[in-house]
Amino acid sequence: MKIDILTLFPEMFDGVLSSSILKKAAEKQIVTYHVVNFREFSNDKHQSVDDYPYGGGAGMVLKPQPIFDAVAHLKQKSENTQPRVILMCPQGERYTQKKAEELAEEDHLILICGHYEGYDERIRTIVTDEISIGDFVLTGGEIGALAVVDSVVRLLPGVLGNENSPIMDSFSSGLLEHPHYTRPADFRGLKVPDVLLSGNHRLIEQWRMKESLRRTWERRPDLLENYPLTPEQKEWLQEWEKGNYSSSDS
């Protein structure tokens, strides 16, 4: 996969892209990163990228010309003539794991990081997606773009050591992930559930599914609104709603 990032602050990406999983993915040549300062594409002598909004108002607005030309340049260099062009924007669709999985199927992503008061509306005509990482406003799109890059790259085949890791992540199945434990089995009186020490893989998987469902019910019940519950899962929810928890639940 090729990931191009258009930003006015390329230095913000140096540390993250050269660390941890993102660095290893690049070293394995699974992904290449290209961070571009779109100020370099400005066609005026001052290399300005913003201007006052028509009609007045607070703040400055990003001009279309530098971004249009930067995107066109990146498309010309791409083997994929139809890359996904993503505008990081608080007005965009709310980012989800499902969206990350969708983007991970692409060969080429171009992410545009905004700044100042906003974008000239005409910039939206050259993008394929508008993404928001949450219902809040940041000073620019860089942090959001990094979140998108991280969430997508870790899904690419060969990036993680265990290919099943992304499958078990929170949100990948539609539910939050179950609790995890490691050694020691008893830490300051806090014990690992007996079922995880039993060696019975069928019971362990059942426990994990049950805990995944319960954690979602307790913390993110909205995720269950469209989740296809099995008859057994429906029974669990009915018991929990009554306040009934068996000893095997803990």
Side-chain angles (χ1 to χ4, degrees), residues 14-239:
D14 294 341
V16 179
L17 296 182
S18 60
S19 303
S20 188
I21 296 298
L22 297 183
K23 177 183 178 182
K24 292 178 180 178
E27 289 176 342
K28 293 179 180 179
Q29 298 183 334
I30 297 172
V31 61
T32 58
Y33 310 112
H34 185 209
V35 183
V36 179
N37 188 335
F38 60 83
R39 188 180 298 278
E40 298 174 2
F41 290 85
S42 175
N43 61 8
D44 69 43
K45 63 180 181 180
H46 300 294
Q47 284 195 307
S48 62
V49 295
D50 61 315
D51 209 335
Y52 294 102
Y54 279 119
M60 305 288 279
V61 174
L62 285 172
K63 299 194 296 184
Q65 178 272 315
I67 293 177
F68 265 67
D69 288 356
V71 170
H73 174 75
L74 295 175
K75 283 185 174 183
Q76 288 174 356
K77 294 177 60 178
S78 176
E79 296 179 1
N80 181 351
T81 57
Q82 296 296 328
R84 293 286 280 271
V85 182
I86 301 166
L87 194 69
M88 302 306 305
C89 176
Q91 301 169 22
E93 67 174 289
R94 193 165 186 176
Y95 195 54
T96 63
Q97 184 66 21
K98 182 178 180 181
K99 187 71 172 182
E101 293 168 358
E102 176 188 324
L103 295 178
E105 297 294 325
E106 298 291 335
D107 296 323
H108 185 190
L109 303 179
I110 299 175
L111 286 80
I112 304 173
C113 304
H115 222 74
Y116 308 116
E117 184 64 23
Y119 302 97
D120 183 294
E121 187 67 16
R122 290 164 290 190
I123 291 172
R124 301 184 194 277
T125 65
I126 61 169
V127 307
T128 59
D129 305 82
E130 296 184 31
I131 287 177
S132 167
I133 62 168
D135 296 339
F136 51 90
V137 179
L138 299 169
T139 54
E142 287 76 15
I143 292 174
L146 283 169
V148 171
V149 170
D150 187 282
S151 64
V152 169
V153 170
R154 67 187 303 280
L155 294 175
L156 300 178
V159 171
L160 297 182
N162 187 333
E163 294 299 325
N164 290 324
S165 292
I167 300 173
M168 300 303 295
D169 286 338
S170 292
F171 305 110
S172 293
S173 68
L175 302 176
L176 299 184
E177 195 171 9
H178 58 76
H180 293 278
Y181 294 88
T182 188
R183 292 179 289 184
D186 186 336
F187 177 70
R188 300 180 182 179
L190 301 172
K191 298 181 178 181
V192 173
D194 290 338
V195 65
L196 297 180
L197 307 176
S198 69
N200 189 319
H201 296 293
R202 183 184 65 80
L203 291 179
I204 289 172
E205 287 305 309
Q206 184 185 53
W207 179 88
R208 286 174 170 169
M209 170 52 71
K210 198 169 187 177
E211 288 302 303
S212 178
L213 180 64
R214 186 164 74 170
R215 178 156 288 186
T216 306
W217 173 68
E218 291 175 336
R219 303 184 180 191
R220 289 291 306 277
D222 58 294
L223 296 177
L224 297 177
E225 292 177 2
N226 298 310
Y227 186 78
L229 295 167
T230 66
E232 184 179 34
Q233 291 171 330
K234 291 178 181 178
E235 289 181 7
W236 293 342
L237 288 176
Q238 289 171 357
E239 290 300 311

